[in-house]
Amino acid sequence: MHIVLLGAPGSGKGTQAGIISQRLGIAHVASGDLFREAANRGDELGQQVKSYMEKGLLVPDEITIKMISECIAAPDCNKGFILDGFPRTLGQAKALDEALGEKGESVEMALYIEVSTKELVRRLSGRFICRGCQTIYHAITSPRQVGAGRCERCGGELYQRSDDLPETVRKRIEVYFAETSPLIDYYRGEGKLVEINGEGAIEEVEQKVLGALKGKWA
Ligand SMILES: [Zn+2]
């Protein structure tokens, strides 16, 4: 089983990838984890990855493809994998097809966890931090404290980091959609795209995802 998982930041795709990998006994390959591991290893590739991450830049396709190809060729991935955070661009998707094609394998399914921009902004922009004790509050889980604008522990003022402001979040989501919409079209064209509504509770989304996988592999 070779599954690609697509979804915007805040769609909950990392959580679903973890669940799927456990249920199916396949590897969960998260590009973010690979980048962090490489940066910590500190070899030549790791040094390059680290310098992009430190500058807040996306790691270029060439490096990303190399890392993913190495990872999916490892014994851990013998039973299959679910890719989380990769491919991110059409170029990466084609490189993945090529790498798998050399082994006579292919991506069988691209699962797209769909969440509206409005809901993504609500989920991602609700973080508030106390100026006094740095306690983190979220508008969804602590509406009362956020509404009051004061920390429950120390009475300090709550503020938002610029990364967590709705307009910053909205821009990040727009960039994501602009980048991945060709990818979604590509997998749709190949007849591999399965769209899942990701707006419900984690368990509801999980049931829909497992249903789609059963339909394909049961
Ligand atoms: Zn506080």
Side-chain angles (χ1 to χ4, degrees):
M1 291 179 199
H2 307 98
I3 304 166
V4 163
L5 194 63
L6 302 169
S11 64
K13 88 180 143 62
T15 306
Q16 294 300 331
I19 294 171
I20 297 168
S21 105
Q22 271 200 334
R23 288 291 190 104
L24 303 181
I26 57 176
H28 175 191
V29 179
S31 57
D33 292 345
L34 290 183
F35 291 149
R36 276 186 293 275
E37 279 164 24
N40 288 337
R41 253 196 339 260
D43 54 14
E44 200 193 327
L45 197 64
Q47 297 279 356
Q48 290 175 352
V49 169
K50 198 173 175 183
S51 77
Y52 286 105
M53 286 168 67
E54 281 172 353
K55 289 175 199 148
L57 298 170
L58 284 176
V59 180
D61 277 7
E62 197 192 309
I63 296 176
T64 308
I65 290 162
K66 204 169 162 188
M67 284 182 48
I68 301 280
S69 302
E70 276 175 19
C71 182
I72 63 179
D76 286 2
C77 286
N78 276 350
K79 280 189 70 184
F81 54 71
I82 177 152
L83 294 181
D84 166 10
F86 177 93
R88 215 190 140 96
T89 62
L90 192 54
Q92 291 182 357
K94 290 185 172 166
L96 174 64
D97 285 349
E98 243 172 66
L100 286 172
E102 282 170 16
K103 300 193 290 172
E105 294 171 347
S106 64
V107 169
E108 288 98 11
M109 185 187 282
L111 269 172
Y112 174 38
I113 313 279
E114 242 186 321
V115 176
S116 68
T117 301
K118 193 179 158 203
E119 172 64 11
L120 291 170
V121 171
R122 188 179 83 96
R123 290 182 186 179
L124 295 173
S125 69
R127 235 165 78 109
F128 288 79
I129 306 169
C130 170
R131 282 196 200 281
C133 68
Q134 313 301 321
T135 296
I136 294 168
Y137 294 92
H138 197 285
I140 296 176
T141 50
S142 314
R144 192 170 50 80
Q145 292 87 337
V146 168
R150 287 280 156 197
C151 176
E152 203 171 48
R153 295 193 183 164
C154 74
E157 184 198 357
L158 302 187
Y159 77 103
Q160 284 201 289
R161 288 189 333 177
S162 62
D163 275 1
D164 299 328
L165 291 171
E167 52 271 34
T168 316
V169 168
R170 196 168 289 119
K171 263 184 212 139
R172 197 156 88 225
I173 294 166
E174 276 168 16
V175 168
Y176 174 84
F177 283 130
E179 210 174 48
T180 49
S181 68
L183 201 57
I184 288 165
D185 291 342
Y186 174 69
Y187 286 121
R188 187 181 285 126
E190 301 257 294
K192 294 174 178 172
L193 190 74
V194 175
E195 289 164 270
I196 304 279
N197 180 343
E199 300 211 0
I202 291 175
E203 299 75 25
E204 279 173 61
V205 179
E206 177 189 346
Q207 287 312 314
K208 288 182 210 162
V209 168
L210 293 173
L213 296 172
K214 259 191 191 159
K216 173 90 181 167
W217 276 286

